[in-house]
Amino acid sequence: MALGNLAHPDVINPLQQALDDPDKEVSIQAQRAIQKIQRDRIVSREQYCCRCTT
């Protein structure tokens, strides 16, 4: 899903709306994209914190 590839928090709302799409594949891809964005944000924060402590 293209919005998930943006990996930007601003796309969370449209992705959340897509969770209710009648097309099951759309809702599955929306969920995966949301999870990817959340994982990327966690990794990004961890990398930032690691740089601060060195």
Side-chain angles (χ1 to χ4, degrees), residues 1 3 10-11 13-14 19 24 30 32 34 38 40 44-46 50 52:
M1 179 169 256
L3 286 177
D10 290 346
V11 301
N13 286 336
L19 292 173
K24 202 62 164 167
R32 288 179 181 163
I34 290 169
Q38 291 171 335
D40 290 350
S44 180
R45 273 190 241 134
E46 288 173 352
C50 289
C52 291

PDB file of all heavy atoms in Angstrom, residues 1 3 10-11 13-14 19 24 30 32 34 38 40 44-46 50 52:
ATOM      1  N   MET A   1       0.853  -1.169   0.000  1.00  0.00           N
ATOM      2  CA  MET A   1       0.000   0.000   0.000  1.00  0.00           C
ATOM      3  C   MET A   1       0.900   1.234   0.000  1.00  0.00           C
ATOM      4  O   MET A   1       1.823   1.348   0.803  1.00  0.00           O
ATOM      5  CB  MET A   1      -0.913  -0.035   1.225  1.00  0.00           C
ATOM      6  CG  MET A   1      -1.836   1.140   1.335  1.00  0.00           C
ATOM      7  SD  MET A   1      -3.081   0.850   2.598  1.00  0.00           S
ATOM      8  CE  MET A   1      -4.444   0.495   1.533  1.00  0.00           C
ATOM      9  N   LEU A   3       0.511   4.370   0.885  1.00  0.00           N
ATOM     10  CA  LEU A   3       0.588   5.217   2.074  1.00  0.00           C
ATOM     11  C   LEU A   3       1.544   4.645   3.108  1.00  0.00           C
ATOM     12  O   LEU A   3       2.259   5.374   3.773  1.00  0.00           O
ATOM     13  CB  LEU A   3      -0.804   5.384   2.701  1.00  0.00           C
ATOM     14  CG  LEU A   3      -1.765   6.302   1.969  1.00  0.00           C
ATOM     15  CD1 LEU A   3      -3.123   6.297   2.671  1.00  0.00           C
ATOM     16  CD2 LEU A   3      -1.224   7.707   1.881  1.00  0.00           C
ATOM     17  N   ASP A  10       1.539  11.142   9.520  1.00  0.00           N
ATOM     18  CA  ASP A  10       0.348  11.804   8.964  1.00  0.00           C
ATOM     19  C   ASP A  10      -0.540  10.862   8.165  1.00  0.00           C
ATOM     20  O   ASP A  10      -1.701  11.175   7.928  1.00  0.00           O
ATOM     21  CB  ASP A  10       0.746  12.987   8.082  1.00  0.00           C
ATOM     22  CG  ASP A  10       1.310  14.147   8.895  1.00  0.00           C
ATOM     23  OD1 ASP A  10       1.154  14.147  10.135  1.00  0.00           O
ATOM     24  OD2 ASP A  10       1.901  15.049   8.285  1.00  0.00           O
ATOM     25  N   VAL A  11      -0.019   9.721   7.748  1.00  0.00           N
ATOM     26  CA  VAL A  11      -0.835   8.790   6.957  1.00  0.00           C
ATOM     27  C   VAL A  11      -1.577   7.784   7.835  1.00  0.00           C
ATOM     28  O   VAL A  11      -2.347   6.968   7.324  1.00  0.00           O
ATOM     29  CB  VAL A  11      -0.008   8.058   5.876  1.00  0.00           C
ATOM     30  CG1 VAL A  11       0.631   9.051   4.928  1.00  0.00           C
ATOM     31  CG2 VAL A  11       1.026   7.151   6.486  1.00  0.00           C
ATOM     32  N   ASN A  13      -4.123   8.251   9.930  1.00  0.00           N
ATOM     33  CA  ASN A  13      -5.581   8.405   9.871  1.00  0.00           C
ATOM     34  C   ASN A  13      -6.192   7.777   8.621  1.00  0.00           C
ATOM     35  O   ASN A  13      -7.153   7.011   8.735  1.00  0.00           O
ATOM     36  CB  ASN A  13      -5.989   9.877  10.005  1.00  0.00           C
ATOM     37  CG  ASN A  13      -5.827  10.373  11.428  1.00  0.00           C
ATOM     38  OD1 ASN A  13      -5.846   9.597  12.369  1.00  0.00           O
ATOM     39  ND2 ASN A  13      -5.655  11.673  11.585  1.00  0.00           N
ATOM     40  N   PRO A  14      -5.685   8.053   7.421  1.00  0.00           N
ATOM     41  CA  PRO A  14      -6.252   7.381   6.247  1.00  0.00           C
ATOM     42  C   PRO A  14      -6.095   5.860   6.309  1.00  0.00           C
ATOM     43  O   PRO A  14      -6.984   5.122   5.865  1.00  0.00           O
ATOM     44  CB  PRO A  14      -5.466   7.954   5.070  1.00  0.00           C
ATOM     45  CG  PRO A  14      -4.858   9.213   5.560  1.00  0.00           C
ATOM     46  CD  PRO A  14      -4.703   9.065   7.042  1.00  0.00           C
ATOM     47  N   LEU A  19      -8.857   0.395   7.381  1.00  0.00           N
ATOM     48  CA  LEU A  19      -9.056  -0.843   8.142  1.00  0.00           C
ATOM     49  C   LEU A  19     -10.489  -1.349   8.009  1.00  0.00           C
ATOM     50  O   LEU A  19     -10.739  -2.546   8.116  1.00  0.00           O
ATOM     51  CB  LEU A  19      -8.717  -0.628   9.622  1.00  0.00           C
ATOM     52  CG  LEU A  19      -7.255  -0.371   9.949  1.00  0.00           C
ATOM     53  CD1 LEU A  19      -7.110  -0.003  11.424  1.00  0.00           C
ATOM     54  CD2 LEU A  19      -6.390  -1.566   9.603  1.00  0.00           C
ATOM     55  N   LYS A  24     -11.096  -7.084   1.911  1.00  0.00           N
ATOM     56  CA  LYS A  24     -10.256  -7.625   2.978  1.00  0.00           C
ATOM     57  C   LYS A  24      -8.773  -7.367   2.726  1.00  0.00           C
ATOM     58  O   LYS A  24      -8.014  -7.097   3.654  1.00  0.00           O
ATOM     59  CB  LYS A  24     -10.526  -9.128   3.109  1.00  0.00           C
ATOM     60  CG  LYS A  24     -10.156  -9.688   4.438  1.00  0.00           C
ATOM     61  CD  LYS A  24     -10.985  -9.043   5.509  1.00  0.00           C
ATOM     62  CE  LYS A  24     -10.930  -9.834   6.789  1.00  0.00           C
ATOM     63  NZ  LYS A  24     -11.465  -9.075   7.896  1.00  0.00           N
ATOM     64  N   ALA A  30      -3.554  -2.194   5.058  1.00  0.00           N
ATOM     65  CA  ALA A  30      -3.580  -1.015   5.922  1.00  0.00           C
ATOM     66  C   ALA A  30      -3.013  -1.363   7.299  1.00  0.00           C
ATOM     67  O   ALA A  30      -2.220  -0.603   7.865  1.00  0.00           O
ATOM     68  CB  ALA A  30      -5.001  -0.480   6.043  1.00  0.00           C
ATOM     69  N   ARG A  32      -0.902  -3.769   8.040  1.00  0.00           N
ATOM     70  CA  ARG A  32       0.544  -3.983   7.897  1.00  0.00           C
ATOM     71  C   ARG A  32       1.287  -2.652   7.799  1.00  0.00           C
ATOM     72  O   ARG A  32       2.362  -2.485   8.369  1.00  0.00           O
ATOM     73  CB  ARG A  32       0.827  -4.840   6.666  1.00  0.00           C
ATOM     74  CG  ARG A  32       0.433  -6.272   6.854  1.00  0.00           C
ATOM     75  CD  ARG A  32       0.704  -7.083   5.624  1.00  0.00           C
ATOM     76  NE  ARG A  32       0.295  -8.468   5.828  1.00  0.00           N
ATOM     77  CZ  ARG A  32       0.105  -9.341   4.861  1.00  0.00           C
ATOM     78  NH1 ARG A  32       0.291  -8.993   3.602  1.00  0.00           N
ATOM     79  NH2 ARG A  32      -0.271 -10.572   5.130  1.00  0.00           N
ATOM     80  N   ILE A  34       0.350   0.263   9.017  1.00  0.00           N
ATOM     81  CA  ILE A  34       0.334   0.901  10.342  1.00  0.00           C
ATOM     82  C   ILE A  34       1.403   0.274  11.237  1.00  0.00           C
ATOM     83  O   ILE A  34       2.157   0.978  11.914  1.00  0.00           O
ATOM     84  CB  ILE A  34      -1.058   0.792  10.986  1.00  0.00           C
ATOM     85  CG1 ILE A  34      -2.050   1.685  10.224  1.00  0.00           C
ATOM     86  CG2 ILE A  34      -1.007   1.172  12.464  1.00  0.00           C
ATOM     87  CD1 ILE A  34      -3.498   1.453  10.600  1.00  0.00           C
ATOM     88  N   GLN A  38       4.710   2.126  12.889  1.00  0.00           N
ATOM     89  CA  GLN A  38       4.959   2.099  14.330  1.00  0.00           C
ATOM     90  C   GLN A  38       6.328   1.497  14.635  1.00  0.00           C
ATOM     91  O   GLN A  38       7.058   2.015  15.480  1.00  0.00           O
ATOM     92  CB  GLN A  38       3.851   1.319  15.036  1.00  0.00           C
ATOM     93  CG  GLN A  38       2.532   2.047  15.003  1.00  0.00           C
ATOM     94  CD  GLN A  38       1.370   1.207  15.497  1.00  0.00           C
ATOM     95  OE1 GLN A  38       1.394  -0.019  15.444  1.00  0.00           O
ATOM     96  NE2 GLN A  38       0.335   1.869  15.967  1.00  0.00           N
ATOM     97  N   ASP A  40       8.952   1.422  12.619  1.00  0.00           N
ATOM     98  CA  ASP A  40       9.978   2.357  12.149  1.00  0.00           C
ATOM     99  C   ASP A  40      10.165   3.513  13.120  1.00  0.00           C
ATOM    100  O   ASP A  40      11.282   3.964  13.337  1.00  0.00           O
ATOM    101  CB  ASP A  40       9.627   2.891  10.760  1.00  0.00           C
ATOM    102  CG  ASP A  40       9.743   1.835   9.672  1.00  0.00           C
ATOM    103  OD1 ASP A  40      10.270   0.730   9.956  1.00  0.00           O
ATOM    104  OD2 ASP A  40       9.294   2.111   8.544  1.00  0.00           O
ATOM    105  N   SER A  44      13.594   4.308  15.071  1.00  0.00           N
ATOM    106  CA  SER A  44      14.157   5.644  14.912  1.00  0.00           C
ATOM    107  C   SER A  44      14.435   6.274  16.279  1.00  0.00           C
ATOM    108  O   SER A  44      15.485   6.879  16.491  1.00  0.00           O
ATOM    109  CB  SER A  44      13.199   6.516  14.110  1.00  0.00           C
ATOM    110  OG  SER A  44      13.723   7.802  13.962  1.00  0.00           O
ATOM    111  N   ARG A  45      13.508   6.137  17.211  1.00  0.00           N
ATOM    112  CA  ARG A  45      13.707   6.689  18.551  1.00  0.00           C
ATOM    113  C   ARG A  45      14.861   6.002  19.258  1.00  0.00           C
ATOM    114  O   ARG A  45      15.654   6.652  19.937  1.00  0.00           O
ATOM    115  CB  ARG A  45      12.423   6.544  19.381  1.00  0.00           C
ATOM    116  CG  ARG A  45      11.494   7.694  19.187  1.00  0.00           C
ATOM    117  CD  ARG A  45      10.377   7.648  20.190  1.00  0.00           C
ATOM    118  NE  ARG A  45       9.146   7.541  19.421  1.00  0.00           N
ATOM    119  CZ  ARG A  45       8.157   6.718  19.654  1.00  0.00           C
ATOM    120  NH1 ARG A  45       8.190   5.912  20.665  1.00  0.00           N
ATOM    121  NH2 ARG A  45       7.106   6.687  18.891  1.00  0.00           N
ATOM    122  N   GLU A  46      14.952   4.682  19.102  1.00  0.00           N
ATOM    123  CA  GLU A  46      16.033   3.950  19.747  1.00  0.00           C
ATOM    124  C   GLU A  46      17.395   4.384  19.192  1.00  0.00           C
ATOM    125  O   GLU A  46      18.345   4.535  19.950  1.00  0.00           O
ATOM    126  CB  GLU A  46      15.838   2.441  19.572  1.00  0.00           C
ATOM    127  CG  GLU A  46      14.703   1.886  20.395  1.00  0.00           C
ATOM    128  CD  GLU A  46      14.407   0.431  20.101  1.00  0.00           C
ATOM    129  OE1 GLU A  46      14.987  -0.128  19.151  1.00  0.00           O
ATOM    130  OE2 GLU A  46      13.589  -0.143  20.821  1.00  0.00           O
ATOM    131  N   CYS A  50      20.357   6.157  21.385  1.00  0.00           N
ATOM    132  CA  CYS A  50      21.698   5.564  21.440  1.00  0.00           C
ATOM    133  C   CYS A  50      22.763   6.609  21.106  1.00  0.00           C
ATOM    134  O   CYS A  50      23.840   6.602  21.679  1.00  0.00           O
ATOM    135  CB  CYS A  50      21.807   4.387  20.479  1.00  0.00           C
ATOM    136  SG  CYS A  50      20.861   2.954  21.022  1.00  0.00           S
ATOM    137  N   CYS A  52      22.552   9.734  21.732  1.00  0.00           N
ATOM    138  CA  CYS A  52      22.628  10.706  22.823  1.00  0.00           C
ATOM    139  C   CYS A  52      23.508  10.212  23.959  1.00  0.00           C
ATOM    140  O   CYS A  52      24.087  11.019  24.687  1.00  0.00           O
ATOM    141  CB  CYS A  52      21.230  10.987  23.383  1.00  0.00           C
ATOM    142  SG  CYS A  52      20.172  11.883  22.233  1.00  0.00           S
TER     143      CYS A  52
END
